[in-house]
Amino acid sequence: MGIVLGIESSCDETAAALVTTDRRIIAQRIASQDEVHAPYGGVVPEIAARAHANRVTPLVAEVMAEAGMELTALDAIAATAGPGLIGGVMVGLVSAKALAMASNVPLIAINHLEGHALSPRLADPALTFPYALLLVSGGHCQILQVDGVGQYRRFATTIDDALGEAFDKTAKILRLGYPGGPAVEKLALAGDASAVPLPRPLVGSGEPHFSFAGLKSAVMRAKDSGLYRNEDIAASFQQAAIDCVLDRLNVSLGDGGGLPALVVAGGVAANQAIRAALENFAQARTMRFVAPPLALCTDNAAMIAWAGAERLASGQNDPLDFAARPRWPLDQDAEPVRGAGAKA
Ligand code: KG4
Ligand code: ZN
């Protein structure tokens, strides 16, 4: 059994966690930056990097103290090395390098997306490779086949906004504050999902990718019209988003393509309505549906430590000059798609 320290700092959560190779989370801390970014309605990269710099060392000290462990007892130190807001990524990665050097423990550089992609295996030992993965967060929206650690085949990505971004923008339009996803979900519970006519971009199209920009514009027009209640806009938006996700999954996976499980990961995987729709989709294809516990969906360090544990098992460690990567696709062979910008 090995013990891995994980450090996460790619967006607006600073986090540290200790996870064992036999799937035990020994200690974990997450410091959210929601309050510092809330006045701006979104994450401000420079402010995020400073907040990470202030918080990462105390958080690591706290998890080590809770576990009653010295750094030298660790088997590896895993840190997010990209993709993400580069200032924050560098803070976490440089801290991990310093700790690794001082304690003579191997460093493992983790792709944040792989953290999300493997997180369901931390909670569910029965989840074996391969599986179909819907990875939906604030910055990413992809359908992948996961064949093993480091082995990904991308079926679909977004040509404009990510799904979490669409939730956040809808929340901004409805003045629900930041982060928007949970607020939209809550408001939608009180609304009528058929009250507001909204488009389902690309639904019915044979191409596999996602698009949410048109949906966001329609939400804005609905709000500006003054005709609809916020609850109904939220519920109608969420239903439109779900319809898009199911249609896109159907294009990529069809009858399941022989994959035994459909897995959802990333911050948007916390959404109960989306989980329920995915569960139905999987059941209809005799696929098992796997969703990590809510605390493992949004950004956290346990998933980074776990990805480190998976890589440790395959004998990987990385040099101390490993450079932070602002872009780092899981499937390096996937073609960039039109309009995808930094989100491919
Ligand atoms: O994975 P994550 O914590 O950070 C990124 O790597 O992006 O995902 C954050 C995203 C945000 O866009 C947030 O609004 C969304 O996940 N989110 C949700 C819910 N909880 C978080 N979206 C819809 N429903 C939720 N309950
Ligand atoms: Zn994330």
Side-chain angles (χ1 to χ4, degrees):
M1 200 261 308
I3 302 180
V4 180
L5 168 66
I7 296 176
E8 161 59 31
S9 61
S10 66
C11 191
D12 59 347
E13 325 282 347
T14 321
L18 284 169
V19 173
T20 67
T21 50
D22 60 2
R23 296 185 159 81
R24 212 156 43 83
I25 299 174
I26 300 178
Q28 63 170 326
R29 292 282 189 286
I30 302 183
S32 163
Q33 302 177 7
D34 286 352
E35 277 171 27
V36 287
H37 300 294
Y40 307 95
V43 180
V44 183
E46 176 63 26
I47 294 176
R50 285 172 194 227
H52 288 304
N54 288 336
R55 295 171 183 186
V56 67
T57 306
L59 291 182
V60 169
E62 281 177 32
V63 295
M64 297 309 294
E66 185 180 326
M69 279 182 67
E70 299 294 330
L71 287 168
T72 47
L74 294 170
D75 294 277
I77 298 175
T80 295
L85 301 174
I86 196 65
V89 171
M90 286 172 70
V91 166
L93 183 58
V94 166
S95 306
K97 287 175 179 176
L99 296 171
M101 196 190 293
S103 55
N104 202 23
V105 168
L107 172 78
I108 303 182
I110 299 296
N111 181 326
H112 176 84
L113 299 174
E114 178 159 80
H116 281 301
L118 300 178
S119 64
R121 280 169 50 82
L122 168 56
D124 187 345
L127 179 62
T128 52
F129 301 118
Y131 51 86
L133 174 68
L134 174 68
L135 176 47
V136 275
S137 69
H140 297 272
C141 188
Q142 303 186 10
I143 300 169
L144 300 142
Q145 178 168 328
V146 183
D147 287 318
V149 178
Q151 293 174 269
Y152 302 92
R153 194 173 131 210
R154 194 197 74 197
F155 297 128
T157 186
T158 178
I159 59 176
D160 43 55
D161 295 347
L163 183 53
E165 202 174 353
F167 270 90
D168 292 334
K169 286 178 175 172
T170 295
K172 206 166 178 175
I173 293 165
L174 300 180
R175 301 196 205 295
L176 301 179
Y178 172 85
V184 171
E185 178 178 18
K186 192 162 166 233
L187 194 62
L189 289 173
D192 173 359
S194 59
V196 186
L198 293 173
R200 270 82 173 144
L202 294 179
V203 164
S205 134
E207 77 155 291
H209 301 300
F210 293 90
S211 170
F212 292 109
L215 177 54
K216 176 204 67 186
S217 307
V219 166
M220 199 177 288
R221 284 194 297 274
K223 173 68 183 168
D224 288 347
S225 76
L227 294 172
Y228 305 106
R229 299 189 310 149
N230 275 0
E231 291 86 330
D232 292 339
I233 297 176
S236 301
F237 158 78
Q238 185 169 270
Q239 188 57 51
I242 289 172
D243 291 348
C244 292
V245 167
L246 296 181
D247 182 75
R248 306 292 77 202
L249 279 172
N250 192 46
V251 169
S252 281
L253 304 176
D255 63 2
L259 293 169
L262 172 65
V263 177
V264 64
V268 185
N271 185 291
Q272 297 297 337
I274 293 178
R275 283 183 183 231
L278 294 174
E279 179 139 37
N280 282 336
F281 179 97
Q283 256 170 20
R285 288 159 181 81
T286 58
M287 297 170 91
R288 195 157 80 84
F289 175 62
V290 180
L294 295 189
L296 280 181
C297 290
T298 45
D299 286 348
N300 64 88
M303 71 180 190
I304 302 304
W306 172 249
E310 297 246 38
R311 288 197 166 261
L312 183 68
S314 61
Q316 181 188 332
N317 59 63
D318 293 298
L320 289 176
D321 62 355
F322 191 101
R325 300 178 179 177
R327 295 199 58 205
W328 189 356
L330 280 176
D331 178 353
Q332 313 262 1
D333 299 329
E335 297 282 323
V337 301
R338 80 185 148 86
K343 298 182 186 91

